[in-house]
């Protein structure tokens, strides 16, 4: 799973719509928010301008000589993921890309530019509308299935198969093709993309023999095997254990592009360098979580006396990407693997792309803050508190009530809060993240100088996540927090400037109160009270709307450039 914009998936609206075009239940609702908030741009130039060109670099100075060689090989392998992914999008995509690349007119160059942003001829931010004349509508099943077979026909065919064949047909790593007798059959990725997987595997092997890090060597070797055997299990397990100065995620992963069934995985790569400073900070926070739990502003009977083992979190700086990772809005963090079998046995790992978040912060959040935050406080908005709060947010998901007992019945907060769960849980992580940081500031774990910047940066972030509507969990959760805090005098509107500021004393007590209220409702599994709370608070009021209306010219995302990898 990928998160597009730090923990605030601001673009999930339109992107989700296009990604999940086949899953209409959620799409219908989202479509309204999407169309209302994000009018389609007409000219190609306007469309391209929504992506701010941004240089992305990572510091390789501390790498060993062997790792430098490995890094070069891995970057080459990542470039092969581009080629496989282009092929996976649509069966006309490779030929079209060549044709566009050869057009040296101004317009031709713009088309090619926007093609490389989207990795295809359909604009992801505009409901996948085509921007190259003459191309067909985006195929819902991408190039995973024969172009002339409907979803229903595929489904009917799958039901005629033996159980073992069904597993392949619905599996992550098989395409469906017509064989020479014109009947449908499953083809393993290792066969379908063999011409490209053989050189990719070779590069990963060469990288494995160059690195001096055992966990990286193990992952690269096993992943090279997987590309050719089509069995990814052992390499996914090795990826969970990967802890190395070079952090690599490469292979077929996300299933968003399969608009028919979400079965098939798209090839991609994230090549990063571990951020040791943030990793150490994360470790420091992680070791103090029980203390936070023991001091949560809730009835002690709701506190968890012994927190379980933390899911691993890695903080890296992105160095190169490949395949689906290039397409459209840039990933800011991801959770993998998606394979349920490994998640059950080993859990999943979260990887946070710090320099990507910083780039988005500079290109999007800073200009938003310049509009939304009162000039007296705007200079307090900064990346360090922003990222520190993201770390706290991620950690706080693990605290507070999860498994609960209602009238003797064992249940979970998720089950009880149903469709309201995600937005409420995201709000919990945001607000209790502030609570935890304030606790650590008060106890000397986090520097006092972060106190005011942390609250003001958080306030600016609210506008970023509600910018495109409140139909999605983060936006809804943020609007809820905003209105609650405003009602408690913690956020103050200034008529003269049309912007907001934080009242720090009121903020501290409101954050504590809201943390307590949210966690108590979670502990009670109180669906009706959560619903009432959302109905009352999760709205966009006119003052906020007037600020949002002034944000339309600010870019939606970044278009990354990786000068070090050429
Ligand atoms: Zn979250």
């Amino acid at each position: 799973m990928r998160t597009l914009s730090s923990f605030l998936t601001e673009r999930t609206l339109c992107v989700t719509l296009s990604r999940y075009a086949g899953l209409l239940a959620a799409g219908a609702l989202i479509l309204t928010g999407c169309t209302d908030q994000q009018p389609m741009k007409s000219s190609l130039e306007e469309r391209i301008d929504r992506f701010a060109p941004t240089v992305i670099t990572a510091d390789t100075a501390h790498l060993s000589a062997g790792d430098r060689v490995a890094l070069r090989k891995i970057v080459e392998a990542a470039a092969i993921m581009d080629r496989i992914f282009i092929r996976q999008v649509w069966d006309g995509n490779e030929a079209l890309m060549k044709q566009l690349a050869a057009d040296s007119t101004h317009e031709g160059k713009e088309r090619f530019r926007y093609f490389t942003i989207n990795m295809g001829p359909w604009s992801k931010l505009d409901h996948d509308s085509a921007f190259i004349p003459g191309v067909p509508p985006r195929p819902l099943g991408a190039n995973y299935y024969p172009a002339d077979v409907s979803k229903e026909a595929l489904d009917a065919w799958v039901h005629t198969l033996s159980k073992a064949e069904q597993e392949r047909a619905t599996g992550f790593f098989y395409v469906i093709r017509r064989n020479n007798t014109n009947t449908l059959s499953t083809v393993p990725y290792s066969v379908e993309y063999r011409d490209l997987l053989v050189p990719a595997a070779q590069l990963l092997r060469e990288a494995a023999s160059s690195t001096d890090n055992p966990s990286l060597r193990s992952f690269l070797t096993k992943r090279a095997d997987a590309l050719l055997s089509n069995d990814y299990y052992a390499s996914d397990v090795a990826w969970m254990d990967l802890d190395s100065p070079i952090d690599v995620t490469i292979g077929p992963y996300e299933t968003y592009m399969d608009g028919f069934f979400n079965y098939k995985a798209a090839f991609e790569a994230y090549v990063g360098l571990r951020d040791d400073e943030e990793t150490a900070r994360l470790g420091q926070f992680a070791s103090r979580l029980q203390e936070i739990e023991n001091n949560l502003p809730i009835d002690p009977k709701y506190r968890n006396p012994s927190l379980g083992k933390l899911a691993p979190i890695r903080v890296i700086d992105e160095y190169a990407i490949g395949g689906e990772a290039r397409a459209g809005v840039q990933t800011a963090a991801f959770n993998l693997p998606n394979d349920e079998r490994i998640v059950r046995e080993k859990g999943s790992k979260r990887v946070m792309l710090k320099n990507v978040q910083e780039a988005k912060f500079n290109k999007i959040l800073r200009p938003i803050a310049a509009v939304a935050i009162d000039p007296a406080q705007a200079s307090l908005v900064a990346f360090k508190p922003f990222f520190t709060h993201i770390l706290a947010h991620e950690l706080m998901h693990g605290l507070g009530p999860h498994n609960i007992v209602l009238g003797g019945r064992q249940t979970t907060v998720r089950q009880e809060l149903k469709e309201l769960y995600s937005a409420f849980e995201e709000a919990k992580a945001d607000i209790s993240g502030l609570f935890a940081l304030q606790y650590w500031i008060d106890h000397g774990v986090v520097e006092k100088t972060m106190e005011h910047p942390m609250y003001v940066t958080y306030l600016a972030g609210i506008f970023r996540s509600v910018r495109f509507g409140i139909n999605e969990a983060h936006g809804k959760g943020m609007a809820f927090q905003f209105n609650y805090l405003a009602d408690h005098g913690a956020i103050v509107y200034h008529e003269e400037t049309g912007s907001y500021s934080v009242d720090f004393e009121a903020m501290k007590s409101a954050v504590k109160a809201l943390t307590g209220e949210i966690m108590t409702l979670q502990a009670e599994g109180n669906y009706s009270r959560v619903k009432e709370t959302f109905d009352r608070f999760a709205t966009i009021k006119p003052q906020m709307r007037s600020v949002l209306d002034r944000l339309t010219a600010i870019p939606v995302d970044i278009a990354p450039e990786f000068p070090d990898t050429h």
Side-chain angles (χ1 to χ4, degrees):
M1 255 171 51
R2 55 199 291 216
T3 303
L4 303 171
S5 189
S6 75
F7 57 92
L8 320 167
T9 54
E10 64 179 44
R11 285 307 312 162
T12 39
L13 262 68
C14 298
V15 173
T16 310
L17 179 71
S18 56
R19 286 272 162 80
Y20 291 96
L23 305 175
L24 285 175
L29 231 192
I30 287 165
L31 179 61
T32 337
C34 197
T35 316
D36 289 353
Q37 312 295 333
Q38 184 64 29
M40 293 234 294
K41 302 286 186 200
S42 45
S43 83
L44 201 49
E45 206 180 326
E46 275 181 309
R47 290 181 176 198
I48 293 171
D49 283 349
R50 292 174 298 181
F51 295 87
T54 307
V55 169
I56 300 283
T57 55
D59 184 10
T60 57
H62 59 289
L63 290 185
S64 68
D67 271 355
R68 276 166 203 279
V69 177
L71 184 62
R72 220 169 43 234
K73 302 283 181 190
I74 294 165
V75 168
E76 281 180 54
I80 297 181
M81 299 302 116
D82 288 344
R83 296 178 58 195
I84 305 180
F85 179 71
I86 286 290
R87 210 182 274 181
Q88 288 186 300
V89 170
W90 168 49
D91 66 4
N93 218 29
E94 272 181 301
L96 177 64
M97 186 175 174
K98 267 198 198 119
Q99 191 190 320
L100 294 173
D103 186 344
S104 59
T105 64
H106 174 72
E107 206 189 351
K109 282 184 181 157
E110 293 230 302
R111 282 179 181 166
F112 183 63
R113 167 92 180 127
Y114 203 45
F115 181 97
T116 55
I117 286 176
N118 288 281
M119 294 295 272
W122 301 284
S123 175
K124 286 176 183 293
L125 290 186
D126 306 295
H127 317 309
D128 269 334
S129 62
F131 58 88
I132 306 284
V135 302
R138 185 180 185 110
L140 270 188
N143 192 18
Y144 298 128
Y145 308 95
D148 59 345
V149 182
S150 70
K151 181 182 174 183
E152 292 69 29
L154 282 164
D155 213 23
W157 169 72
V158 167
H159 282 96
T160 66
L161 302 174
S162 70
K163 189 151 184 343
E165 282 173 359
Q166 274 188 18
E167 243 170 58
R168 288 155 52 100
T170 61
F172 288 118
F173 313 124
Y174 297 84
V175 290
I176 310 299
R177 295 285 179 255
R178 286 186 193 288
N179 60 21
N180 42 21
T181 61
N182 209 29
T183 52
L184 295 174
S185 66
T186 57
V187 179
Y189 281 6
S190 54
V191 174
E192 176 74 12
Y193 307 116
R194 188 165 182 81
D195 60 323
L196 296 171
L197 290 177
V198 168
Q202 177 60 29
L203 286 162
L204 296 187
R205 287 221 172 82
E206 288 168 19
S209 66
S210 302
T211 179
D212 34 41
N213 182 285
S215 71
L216 180 60
R217 188 180 314 124
S218 164
F219 170 66
L220 292 171
T221 308
K222 289 178 173 136
R223 181 68 18 150
D225 292 345
L227 295 177
L228 303 183
S229 70
N230 219 46
D231 181 357
Y232 285 85
Y233 179 82
S235 56
D236 272 343
V237 171
W239 183 82
M240 285 296 299
D241 297 330
L242 175 63
D243 191 1
S244 144
I246 301 177
D247 193 276
V248 191
T249 301
I250 187 167
Y253 285 103
E254 305 288 4
T255 59
Y256 303 122
M257 194 167 67
D258 177 355
F260 279 162
F261 305 107
N262 276 83
Y263 291 154
K264 307 301 173 195
F267 280 87
E268 67 180 348
Y270 293 95
V271 184
L273 301 176
R274 188 175 58 198
D275 185 316
D276 289 326
E277 189 191 326
E278 290 300 340
T279 303
R281 191 192 212 5
L282 192 60
Q284 193 192 15
F285 290 169
S287 68
R288 292 166 189 267
L289 286 177
Q290 186 68 53
E291 191 184 348
I292 296 291
E293 178 79 22
N294 297 345
N295 286 283
L296 286 176
I298 52 177
D299 189 322
K301 72 178 185 231
Y302 294 145
R303 294 177 191 150
N304 183 350
S306 130
L307 294 171
K309 198 169 157 271
L310 264 184
I313 301 177
R314 302 263 182 267
V315 181
I316 66 172
D317 282 325
E318 193 171 273
Y319 182 75
I321 51 176
E324 192 177 39
R326 282 192 194 283
V329 173
Q330 293 296 297
T331 303
F334 56 88
N335 248 34
L336 286 173
N338 292 322
D339 189 338
E340 288 291 337
R341 197 169 44 140
I342 293 155
V343 174
R344 267 197 311 274
E345 290 165 16
K346 296 277 294 185
S348 63
K349 185 168 88 181
R350 185 153 184 84
V351 178
M352 306 182 64
L353 305 166
K354 186 186 168 195
N355 57 349
V356 175
Q357 308 222 10
E358 186 163 15
K360 291 185 188 230
F361 175 87
N362 286 327
K363 297 288 164 93
I364 302 159
L365 190 55
R366 263 192 204 289
I368 286 178
V371 173
I373 302 298
D374 186 69
Q377 290 188 351
S379 65
L380 293 174
V381 174
F383 179 67
K384 190 165 182 184
F386 175 77
F387 193 73
T388 306
H389 182 234
I390 293 173
L391 294 182
H393 169 111
E394 296 300 340
L395 293 170
M396 290 309 289
H397 273 308
L399 274 65
H402 292 278
N403 297 303
I404 55 176
V405 179
L406 296 181
R409 179 172 56 95
Q410 187 72 45
T411 180
T412 63
V413 177
R414 182 189 291 273
Q415 267 169 5
E416 298 304 316
L417 299 189
K418 298 186 269 259
E419 83 284 359
L420 306 176
Y421 172 77
S422 293
F424 209 58
E425 173 63 21
E426 290 311 327
K428 173 201 104 174
D430 287 338
I431 206 76
S432 67
L434 291 175
F435 170 81
L437 290 174
Q438 183 65 56
Y439 182 93
W440 285 327
I441 288 169
D442 294 341
H443 290 77
V445 179
V446 171
E447 52 277 30
K448 178 88 176 156
T449 49
M450 201 180 286
E451 184 174 294
H452 290 182
M454 157 180 108
Y455 289 117
V456 179
T457 304
Y458 158 82
L459 173 58
I462 292 179
F463 288 89
R464 194 176 62 138
S465 54
V466 297
R467 185 177 167 201
F468 299 106
I470 56 169
N471 290 326
E472 152 290 331
H474 286 99
K476 190 184 180 109
M478 274 292 196
F480 156 54
Q481 294 166 64
F482 178 88
N483 288 313
Y484 180 99
L485 296 169
D487 274 15
H488 286 73
I491 297 173
V492 184
Y493 183 69
H494 302 272
E495 203 70 59
E496 336 69 80
T497 54
S499 59
Y500 289 91
S501 67
V502 174
D503 177 321
F504 297 107
E505 280 318 303
M507 185 65 136
K508 273 193 233 181
S509 54
V511 162
K512 192 169 176 180
L514 183 54
T515 300
E517 283 191 36
I518 291 178
M519 289 193 181
T520 301
L521 291 180
Q522 288 185 323
E524 294 169 347
N526 198 333
Y527 178 89
S528 58
R529 278 278 311 283
V530 172
K531 182 143 189 8
E532 270 171 42
T533 307
F534 270 152
D535 288 347
R536 177 163 165 220
F537 289 113
T539 59
I540 295 180
K541 294 184 179 163
Q543 284 172 345
M544 182 184 230
R545 166 61 56 207
S546 75
V547 172
L548 294 173
D549 287 344
R550 285 184 277 135
L551 303 178
T552 48
I554 294 169
V556 169
D557 199 42
I558 56 166
E561 290 157 17
F562 301 94
D564 292 348
T565 63
H566 296 314

